[in-house]
Amino acid sequence: MLFMADTQQADEQVETVAGAAAGKRDRRAARLAREIRAFAATHGGSAEGQLAHIGRGRIRIALVGANGEWGNLVADTLESAKAAAEQAGLTLQDDFDGDLAARVRTGRYEWSRMAGIQVGGRANA
């Protein structure tokens, strides 16, 4: 039999655990936001992005800088990814196609990787 004091203590423990989880999510979103801002600063002063589910609850934040350079970050949840994008002032696109994809600048590394996986292409070592 639970007494009122026991119930209150259990409720306080649940609130503490929920608060700790929320704090951890906030810290992760803030870290991702810093990384997004750093990427934008390094690649032309701004960036745009797109969010995509990549499995097991993870979300890919695809970034395209103003200079065409691109990169990826991974968030634990969609909420963290959206919060990070908002904190960083990242403009999100619905899809990674059209104008966003056209701005991506690929380099020698990407072309060699793509050529290596084509049928009959040189294998990557």
Side-chain angles (χ1 to χ4, degrees):
M1 173 181 269
L2 288 176
F3 294 101
M4 187 170 194
D6 294 335
T7 303
Q8 184 178 7
Q9 184 178 6
D11 290 344
E12 289 170 358
Q13 288 174 344
V14 168
E15 288 173 8
T16 301
V17 170
K24 189 174 186 179
R25 281 191 306 268
D26 291 344
R27 288 189 300 278
R28 286 181 180 161
R31 179 183 48 81
L32 285 168
R34 283 191 303 274
E35 291 179 26
I36 292 168
R37 285 190 296 270
F39 176 88
T42 304
H43 298 290
S46 66
E48 290 187 49
Q50 189 263 339
L51 306 180
H53 181 265
I54 56 174
R56 293 192 176 182
R58 301 290 195 262
I59 304 297
R60 177 187 72 156
I61 306 170
L63 301 168
V64 179
N67 66 356
E69 294 291 325
W70 61 279
N72 291 304
L73 294 171
V74 177
D76 292 334
T77 65
L78 180 60
E79 294 77 22
S80 289
K82 287 181 177 179
E86 184 177 331
Q87 289 174 27
L90 182 68
T91 301
L92 290 175
Q93 302 296 328
D94 292 331
D95 297 306
F96 197 89
D97 61 5
D99 291 336
L100 186 61
R103 284 195 302 270
V104 172
R105 190 179 75 195
T106 55
R108 183 179 199 146
Y109 171 78
E110 288 85 7
W111 283 102
S112 69
R113 293 288 298 162
M114 288 186 275
I117 60 173
Q118 292 177 358
V119 175
R122 187 174 60 85
N124 288 317

